[in-house]
Amino acid sequence: MEKKPHFVRREFLPREVPSISLALLLAAVLLLNALLYLYLNKFYSSLGRVETDPGLCPFGHFKFGAVKNCSPWLSCEAINREVRKVKCVGEGAVKKVFLSEWKEKKVVLSQLTNLELKEDFLHGLKMLKALQSKYVVRLLGYCEQQFTILTEYHPLGSLRGLNETLHIPKYKGMNTWHRRLMLAIDYVSVIRYLHSSPLGTLVMCDSNDLDKVLSQYLLTSDFHVLVNDLDALPLVNRSAGRLVKCGHRELQGEFVAPEQRWPYGEDVPFEDDLMPPYDEKTDIWKIPDVSNFFLGHVEGSDIVRLHLFDIHAACKKKDPAERPSAQEVLDTYRKVLTLLIREAAMPGTREML
């Protein structure tokens, strides 16, 4: 009878200790989750993922740098009087691009080079004015009479130079899987914005190969992606039965979507009038290839690709109707980022539990 309390106490202690340890472990996990939540909030905000942009001004105005007040877009007179060309930094089929100065600030002046393409130039200007947002390069002014556009300057240039930029000592710290995935998220965010823009569903037609796609976007100094060239941005209007065709020439290669290729075989010569039109799902087809470029070959990028495998396979469905929307792709990318950051912050937690 005297040994019974001793026996009960010996049974009770081994059960109590693991319970306390488990409670402490769960508390630690909850704390880590709370810290992770705060970190992700800060992470997204610092990378510009909030939906509002305090840097935006009312329509017809701009501000950039440390300037607090909004200024009206520069007119023909102001551009001619106040903007000085420094050097030519690029030339395409439609326009020539000059690094320039305005009030001791570096800006970009674009001028039409071929009058036969003035409609493309003016369409790009129209899109640039209507789509001003955190996804689009900032418009500073324009002169329709002289076919001139003035925009904000971004010294890191287009996305074609991304890998070279990430090998510069100053930016090597950015060359990580999560920063690269954030750039891919930025890119898909632009596509989502264009597909649900204030003007309707717009298709990014200057995208027949990877190099062409990358040339349409800028890399900002704080590592965001902005769309820069909007010359070829036709509108899809399903309710009105309006689909699009990206140009009047035959498109070839695996990079363009199947519906963009000539469907009648090599024996039938290409005729633009016989080429069926298509919709914005052509942009979705190209997302995996562009994202693969963004992810590169850094440590952890293969793990990211593994997590994105299913959504990328869906993007490559031959039937455009079976492909996901840009919003669905964006949601998946963000979930993968959150999941992988959580796993990196709390390695081994699952095994501990």
Side-chain angles (χ1 to χ4, degrees), residues 6-43:
H6 181 65
F7 175 76
V8 171
R9 188 169 56 201
R10 288 181 61 190
E11 285 281 20
F12 175 74
L13 285 174
R15 290 179 182 176
E16 185 181 49
V17 172
S19 298
I20 294 172
S21 299
L22 183 59
L24 290 173
L25 179 59
L26 288 173
V29 169
L30 289 173
L31 178 61
L32 280 171
N33 271 301
L35 292 173
L36 182 61
Y37 174 80
L38 294 173
Y39 168 74
L40 287 173
N41 262 1
K42 183 178 180 181
F43 187 71

Side-chain angles (χ1 to χ4, degrees), residues 90-97 113 212:
E91 184 174 2
V94 178
K95 53 186 176 285
K96 186 177 288 188
V97 180
T113 54
K212 186 64 174 175

Side-chain angles (χ1 to χ4, degrees), residues 186-324:
D186 268 6
Y187 166 71
V188 177
S189 296
V190 173
I191 299 299
R192 187 277 310 266
Y193 175 67
L194 295 178
H195 288 184
S196 57
S197 82
L199 301 177
T201 301
L202 300 167
V203 181
M204 193 67 178
C205 266
D206 262 344
S207 56
N208 298 334
D209 57 63
L210 178 61
D211 191 65
K212 186 64 174 175
V213 170
L214 299 176
S215 72
Q216 308 301 302
Y217 296 85
L218 295 172
L219 179 64
T220 68
S221 296
D222 56 353
F223 273 68
H224 292 308
V225 173
L226 297 175
V227 63
N228 181 52
D229 196 330
L230 304 175
D231 294 345
L233 210 61
L235 178 70
V236 169
N237 189 337
R238 286 192 185 82
S239 60
R242 183 194 300 167
L243 299 178
V244 304
K245 287 191 287 187
C246 292
H248 305 287
R249 298 179 181 178
E250 182 177 2
L251 301 179
Q252 297 177 326
E254 292 299 314
F255 187 82
V256 297
E259 64 271 22
Q260 291 184 281
R261 303 172 208 154
W262 180 242
Y264 303 118
E266 296 180 0
D267 295 334
V268 180
F270 177 83
E271 286 188 41
D272 184 43
D273 291 340
L274 298 179
M275 180 67 198
Y278 34 83
D279 62 17
E280 77 280 2
K281 290 299 183 71
T282 58
D283 289 334
I284 304 300
W285 171 273
K286 298 159 189 173
I287 286 176
D289 299 292
V290 180
S291 289
N292 187 54
F293 167 80
F294 279 123
L295 292 175
H297 300 285
V298 297
E299 183 179 355
S301 62
D302 287 341
I303 299 298
V304 178
R305 286 185 178 90
L306 182 63
H307 280 81
L308 296 177
F309 180 84
D310 288 341
I311 192 68
H312 282 173
C315 291
K316 291 293 188 179
K317 294 280 189 181
K318 187 173 182 179
D319 183 356
E322 295 181 4
R323 295 173 204 153

